[in-house]
Amino acid sequence: MQPTAPDPQPDPPVGLPVLPDLAAHLSAAAGRTEAEPPGGAVPLRTAACGYWERRGLETAPEDVLAAPGLTPLLLALYAAADGAVVLPRPCSASYAPPARLLGRPVHLAPVPAESGGMPDPFALLETVRRARMHGDSPQLLVLSVADDPTGTCPAPEQLHEVCEAAAEEGLWVLSDETRRDLLHDPHDTVVLSPAEMLPDEVVVLTDLRATLTPAAWPAALARFPGTRGGTVLRAAALEALTALGTPLPGPIACAAAHALGEPDSVRARTAAIARVYGALAAALHHTVTEAGALCRPPHSGSHLYADLEPLRRPLAAHGIVESTALERRLAPWAARGGHRFGDDPRALRVRLDAGALLGADPELRQRVLDAPDPLELPHITEALTALSRALSQLTASASAPGDG
């Protein structure tokens, strides 16, 4: 029997236009021929320290690692920890593949009803217990304070309970804080880092491409605790990054260091991205819930996670009984089925991306950034109307097969 071909990843949205200030810094460094050393050179790691210190996390350059993207950084951390990995279910599609590539067991613990990004604390304890019963040794818990795929932010008290459970089980916490600066309403959403709660047992991760640099410029950072355990884990992760032999390109490192300094142009762009994604994600949320789906209100970034299980009967009449089919039907809105995020493939859950509403033309995307209200732009209105119409057609009352 021939092996089943993997389900291909749909093309991602094209993203927002490159900030001219960053493009100028990349251009100025284009003549640099040397790559960054593994883990990043001192100027980049020092710039990262300033970035974290402005967020309340004192950091030293010797406690930072840089890598060409979040995937190689996770690969190095999983290799360094040398044990099973516990992930929330659902979680970012980037979390599990590096562990499986290394042959590390992956255990999924369901998220609570209130938000994604972290496991329910009791589910976490039970997942770790069961893993150990089967001979695995969980070493890492990956969570996110501003979640992909759900677009939600765990409440501080919930996060504290999870951190306490992780500490009780002796787990390192990898805190993905990539989208913490893309809060739709910073005055209404409180985001705390687990590193503020467990300063000695948390590694903070951030992928700069979500906020500070364009999607085509791979750069990610890890902040380790300044403890003996943190130093040992960082050294092992650096050894793994060195063995990978894929250093951060020098020109990108120069542009990333400038972005980490957060000059006025970068701050303004970050605020504009958060405002635009907040408006578009709220409109998507209204559209899918009006159609009858369940969906947590998104608070950060461009994603939301819709549950169409209440509409299973009419969807089944259209041959949609699992997430891959739902993904195909909603592909124009950058739909990703829940199976890509560790969810049950039979469940009718799907992640939608507000980035799909921006438009394919660079001029259209710039107009979205510049508009006082992006929802008034014709191409945005048309995309939302088309989604509403598609959902109405798929969920309209119809006789299911076998009905009289």
Side-chain angles (χ1 to χ4, degrees):
M1 180 184 293
Q2 291 294 323
T4 302
D7 192 14
Q9 281 278 4
D11 292 333
V14 291
L16 291 161
V18 177
L19 185 65
D21 185 19
L22 287 184
H25 273 80
L26 185 71
S27 178
R32 175 178 167 177
T33 56
E34 73 275 13
E36 286 283 286
V42 171
L44 177 60
R45 290 186 281 117
T46 301
C49 293
Y51 169 85
W52 273 310
E53 285 165 6
R54 288 189 293 275
R55 287 151 183 82
L57 297 176
E58 292 295 320
T59 309
E62 60 269 22
D63 296 327
V64 176
L65 285 182
L70 189 61
T71 296
L73 196 53
L74 285 172
L75 189 71
L77 282 161
Y78 293 167
D82 193 21
V85 179
V86 181
L87 304 176
R89 180 175 187 166
C91 68
S92 169
S94 64
Y95 293 168
R100 294 188 171 120
L101 185 64
L102 290 167
R104 302 287 191 267
V106 174
H107 298 275
L108 301 170
V111 302
E114 295 83 1
S115 74
M118 63 173 198
D120 175 89
F122 296 105
L124 171 61
L125 293 172
E126 178 64 12
T127 299
V128 172
R129 185 186 70 83
R130 288 179 177 272
R132 289 175 177 155
M133 282 178 57
H134 288 87
D136 290 338
S137 178
Q139 298 293 326
L140 297 170
L141 166 65
V142 186
L143 53 77
S144 176
V145 298
D147 185 42
D148 164 25
T150 66
T152 59
C153 300
E157 56 272 19
Q158 290 179 309
L159 190 62
H160 191 268
E161 290 180 7
V162 170
C163 288
E164 284 188 332
E168 180 181 327
E169 296 300 330
L171 304 179
W172 278 102
V173 174
L174 305 187
S175 176
D176 182 0
E177 303 184 7
T178 294
R179 292 168 178 80
R180 66 171 294 167
D181 295 330
L182 295 182
L183 299 181
H184 302 161
D185 186 352
H187 303 291
D188 186 53
T189 306
V190 177
V191 171
L192 292 180
S193 171
E196 299 176 68
M197 303 173 184
L198 294 177
D200 296 342
E201 288 113 8
V202 175
V203 178
V204 177
L205 308 175
T206 184
D207 188 337
L208 302 186
R209 291 178 295 179
T211 306
L212 294 181
T213 63
W217 300 6
L221 301 166
R223 173 199 179 271
F224 294 78
T227 61
R228 183 179 181 280
T231 299
V232 170
L233 184 65
R234 182 189 182 277
L238 177 57
E239 183 179 354
L241 279 176
T242 302
L244 283 174
T246 54
L248 186 62
I252 289 179
C254 292
H258 174 73
L260 285 164
E262 296 181 291
D264 289 344
S265 61
V266 171
R267 286 178 179 268
R269 168 57 71 88
T270 301
I273 294 172
R275 175 182 61 81
V276 166
Y277 282 158
L280 299 184
L284 279 175
H285 180 265
H286 175 78
T287 301
V288 298
T289 54
E290 280 287 295
L294 301 175
C295 186
R296 299 177 182 91
H299 296 290
S300 177
S302 64
H303 300 141
L304 69 160
Y305 200 64
D307 184 350
L308 279 72
E309 281 294 326
L311 304 167
R312 176 170 286 278
R313 186 178 181 83
L315 289 172
H318 293 272
I320 301 173
V321 295
E322 31 74 67
S323 63
T324 54
L326 191 59
E327 175 182 283
R328 288 192 295 270
R329 289 298 187 100
L330 299 180
W333 299 275
R336 302 290 185 271
H339 61 286
R340 299 189 185 276
F341 310 106
D343 219 336
D344 184 346
R346 298 165 297 180
L348 292 173
R349 290 189 277 271
V350 66
R351 189 195 75 178
L352 298 176
D353 189 344
L357 304 177
L358 296 172
D361 185 282
E363 183 179 335
L364 281 179
R365 302 197 299 275
Q366 187 62 51
R367 284 168 59 190
V368 175
L369 269 179
D370 296 338
D373 183 358
L375 299 180
E376 294 182 353
L377 294 174
H379 74 284
I380 299 287
T381 303
E382 290 169 8
L384 289 168
T385 301
L387 174 59
S388 179
R389 186 181 302 117
L391 290 171
S392 294
Q393 291 171 351
L394 290 175
T395 60
S397 296
S399 294
D403 284 355

